[in-house]
Amino acid sequence: MREHRATRGAALPPVTPGSLLVAAPGLGDPNFSRTVVYMIEHRPQGSLGVVLNRPGQAAVRDVLPRWAGLTSDPGTMFVGGPVEVRTALCLAALRTGETGSEIGGLMPVRPPVQLVDLDSDPAPLARRLRGLRIFAGYSGWDAGQLGGEIARGDWYVVPGLPDDLLTTVYDQLWERVLRRQGVPLALLATFPRDPAWN
């Protein structure tokens, strides 16, 4: 896909932990079509994130029962991406004023969002938690790969919000994230799933 005119000539925003990658309308890879990816890590060696708007079929209570009571609706494992689909990653948003520094098993991503070690005890986290989501698999890029995809126009890099992680209207997240960016990206929110409908 070629660079979309909405970003042509603009400086490419940096990818940081907590950034969102929003799939360009023409991104043809079925793993990422109309996805919103929350970035956990971005380093010269590679990048890692999870897709926020693809709920899976498996219930958390059936896979990780200790965490089921803390999981945000709909209580299912989300499909984080096509890499290591038998691996589970957990992201939690802490309540305002909570840092999580005194709780074991947490690694800050971009406060208030934390990466949670699913082998840790969930009990100390419960009262400090705003919400939590568990992902099966993740989205990963080798060194330089993501930068090339962004430069090609496959992804738009935008700021993320904790509500993006916990939203229950995940089926509308792609449109909602684009719409709040303002013009010109907001105009893409109305792009039809099938260009033939236009």
Side-chain angles (χ1 to χ4, degrees), residues 1-197:
M1 178 180 162
R2 296 283 177 244
E3 185 180 16
H4 192 277
R5 66 176 172 264
T7 57
R8 188 175 297 135
L12 296 175
V15 177
T16 59
S19 295
L20 299 179
L21 300 181
V22 182
L27 183 59
D29 183 340
N31 291 306
F32 294 111
S33 176
R34 289 173 98 84
T35 57
V36 177
V37 177
Y38 185 90
M39 294 307 296
I40 297 171
E41 187 174 82
H42 180 65
R43 297 182 180 185
Q45 309 92 293
S47 306
L48 179 143
V50 289
V51 174
L52 296 180
N53 55 337
R54 293 259 170 98
Q57 299 297 315
V60 172
R61 71 176 175 274
D62 295 335
V63 181
L64 295 160
R66 289 190 319 144
W67 292 93
L70 301 181
T71 306
S72 299
D73 288 339
T76 61
M77 303 277 290
F78 274 59
V79 179
V83 182
E84 299 288 339
V85 294
R86 293 186 173 273
T87 299
L89 292 178
C90 178
L91 291 175
L94 301 181
R95 294 182 186 276
T96 303
E98 296 286 351
T99 65
S101 57
E102 69 284 356
I103 304 173
L106 297 183
M107 184 179 88
V109 177
R110 183 182 187 109
V113 176
Q114 308 273 327
L115 185 63
V116 180
D117 178 356
L118 289 168
D119 290 328
S120 66
D121 181 5
L125 183 59
R127 66 182 180 84
R128 296 173 169 92
L129 195 61
R130 181 172 162 197
L132 176 145
R133 190 144 282 158
I134 300 176
F135 302 87
Y138 61 89
S139 304
W141 293 265
D142 290 330
Q145 183 183 2
L146 180 56
E149 291 180 11
I150 293 168
R152 191 170 63 218
D154 291 346
W155 300 101
Y156 305 114
V157 182
V158 301
L161 302 173
D163 286 346
D164 298 327
L165 171 65
L166 305 175
T167 184
T168 56
V169 287
Y170 39 81
D171 57 331
Q172 299 169 30
L173 185 62
W174 186 84
E175 293 88 347
R176 289 171 62 145
V177 170
L178 284 171
R179 198 171 295 120
R180 75 176 186 234
Q181 304 311 311
V183 175
L185 285 181
L187 300 176
L188 299 177
T190 60
F191 199 91
R193 288 185 180 273
D194 183 346
W197 298 347

